[in-house]
């Protein structure tokens, strides 16, 4: 008794995997078919009424969708599948095209059968579906915009007050120098500005501090975030409150 029951359930488990594979293949075929029909529908939307080519108009039908799905799956595949009535067992009657303006809804209904059927568990219905919008395309008659009108991109730092037009600007690529704290008051950057205590470092009381050629702060910690540059690329229209760099602006 045990061995036949084991074989029965094992075979039906294999059948379940077979049904799952069928549904995956069906979804792939529907996706390919839906993509084709979406493109055809997109073309049709840009053609004046009464001028649509028959081949495009015919592509927006349940009969065409069914044929393309069967072509993708293959007659031999369907004949050896678990679909009841094989290829003719697929129904696309519930499909709709260009409903609500641009909706492509392809519905494949079919029945499958287990390898070994039992009472009240023989053929059961399944459904696979593709749902999408017709391609919008683009207006081919529109004049190409002048590339010179494209918005300029600039570079800014997290705490900087200016924007930079060149990524190689020396203000973005600075070198750190170590000086004695007692001499920092006599140091000047390239703009002849003095150095002041960094807001992020602890207060210096002696020893070595770190400065840069273009900054105006001295740092007690060489790993201070004020000594690092996080650079962002933004449109110049978003550089609100920032002026142009004195070197590359």
């Amino acid at each position: 008794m045990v061995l036949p029951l084991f074989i029965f359930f094992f075979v039906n488990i294999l059948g379940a995997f077979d049904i799952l594979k069928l549904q995956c293949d069906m979804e792939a075929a529907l996706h390919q078919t839906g993509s084709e029909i979406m493109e055809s529908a997109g073309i049709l939307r840009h053609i004046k009424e009464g001028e649509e080519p028959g081949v495009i108009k015919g592509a927006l039908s349940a009969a065409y969708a069914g044929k393309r799905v069967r072509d993708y799956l293959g007659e031999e595949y369907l004949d050896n599948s678990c679909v009841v009535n094989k290829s003719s067992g697929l129904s696309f009657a519930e499909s709709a095209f260009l409903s609500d303006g641009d909706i492509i809804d392809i519905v494949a209904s079919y029945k499958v059968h287990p390898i070994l059927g039992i009472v009240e568990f023989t053929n059961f219905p399944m459904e696979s579906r593709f749902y999408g919008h017709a391609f919008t395309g683009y207006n081919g008659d529109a004049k190409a915009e002048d590339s010179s009108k494209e918005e300029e991109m600039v570079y800014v730092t997290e705490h900087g007050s200016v924007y930079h037009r060149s990524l190689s600007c020396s203000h973005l690529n600075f070198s750190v120098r170590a000086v004695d704290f007692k001499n920092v008051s006599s140091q000047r950057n390239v703009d002849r500005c003095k150095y002041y205590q960094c807001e992020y470092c602890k207060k210096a009381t002696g020893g070595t501090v770190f400065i840069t050629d273009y900054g105006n702060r001295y740092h007690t910690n060489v790993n201070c975030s004020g000594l690092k540059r996080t650079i962002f690329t933004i449109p110049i229209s978003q550089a609100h409150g920032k002026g142009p760099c004195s070197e590359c602006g």
Side-chain angles (χ1 to χ4, degrees):
M1 290 292 293
V2 174
L3 182 59
L5 287 174
F6 173 78
I7 295 175
F8 173 80
F9 286 110
F10 181 75
V11 168
N12 276 284
I13 288 174
L14 293 179
F17 282 108
D18 190 41
I19 293 172
L20 180 61
K21 181 181 183 303
L22 169 69
Q23 194 168 31
C24 291
D25 293 339
M26 186 70 69
E27 291 289 346
L30 284 170
H31 178 79
Q32 293 290 339
T33 301
S35 297
E36 288 183 9
I37 293 179
M38 285 165 61
E39 183 175 357
S40 298
I43 295 172
L44 187 62
R45 292 176 64 189
H46 293 283
I47 298 177
K48 294 180 180 180
E49 185 176 356
E51 297 181 358
E52 57 271 356
V55 64
I56 293 180
K57 191 173 182 180
L60 305 180
S61 66
Y64 177 81
K67 181 180 183 303
R68 294 304 295 153
V69 169
R70 292 182 179 92
D71 288 343
Y72 278 115
L73 292 173
E75 294 291 336
E76 183 178 355
Y77 174 86
L78 290 170
D79 289 342
N80 293 285
S81 70
C82 55
V83 178
V84 176
N85 295 328
K86 311 307 177 184
S87 178
S88 60
L90 301 179
S91 172
F92 295 85
E94 298 179 26
S95 301
F97 302 91
L98 297 184
S99 60
D100 296 330
D102 65 347
I103 301 299
I104 306 297
D105 189 11
I106 308 174
V107 181
S109 302
Y110 50 96
K111 288 186 176 182
V112 296
H113 59 79
I115 296 177
L116 298 174
I118 58 177
V119 178
E120 301 299 330
F121 187 70
T122 53
N123 303 340
F124 54 95
M126 295 193 69
E127 182 179 282
S128 298
R129 191 170 199 167
F130 173 89
Y131 187 92
H133 294 265
F135 289 158
T136 56
Y138 65 95
N139 185 359
D141 296 329
K143 294 182 179 180
E145 296 183 0
D146 186 356
S147 59
S148 63
K149 295 181 180 180
E150 292 182 0
E151 188 169 8
E152 180 185 7
M153 304 300 289
V154 294
Y155 307 98
V156 297
T157 59
E158 188 174 5
H159 303 292
S161 59
V162 300
Y163 61 81
H164 307 265
R165 286 191 164 92
S166 173
L167 192 58
S168 59
C169 177
S170 59
H171 288 208
L172 294 176
N173 300 278
F174 55 82
S175 57
V176 179
R177 292 186 289 117
V179 298
D180 196 293
F181 173 67
K182 64 183 180 181
N183 297 326
V184 72
S185 60
S186 62
Q187 298 289 324
R188 298 292 184 272
N189 63 18
V190 294
D191 295 322
R192 307 307 301 166
C193 295
K194 294 178 62 176
Y195 292 96
Y196 300 93
Q197 170 71 42
C198 169
E199 298 88 344
Y200 306 105
C201 296
K202 64 181 181 180
K203 188 175 181 179
T205 56
T208 301
V209 295
F210 305 94
I211 59 175
T212 62
D213 292 336
Y214 292 92
N216 61 359
R217 296 290 188 271
Y218 62 83
H219 308 265
T220 57
N221 183 2
V222 72
N223 294 315
C224 175
S225 59
L227 284 172
K228 298 178 181 179
R229 282 287 190 263
T230 301
I231 302 173
F232 304 93
T233 304
I234 61 171
I236 194 170
S237 62
Q238 295 182 15
H240 305 299
K242 297 181 184 294
C245 170
S246 59
E247 180 177 323
C248 64

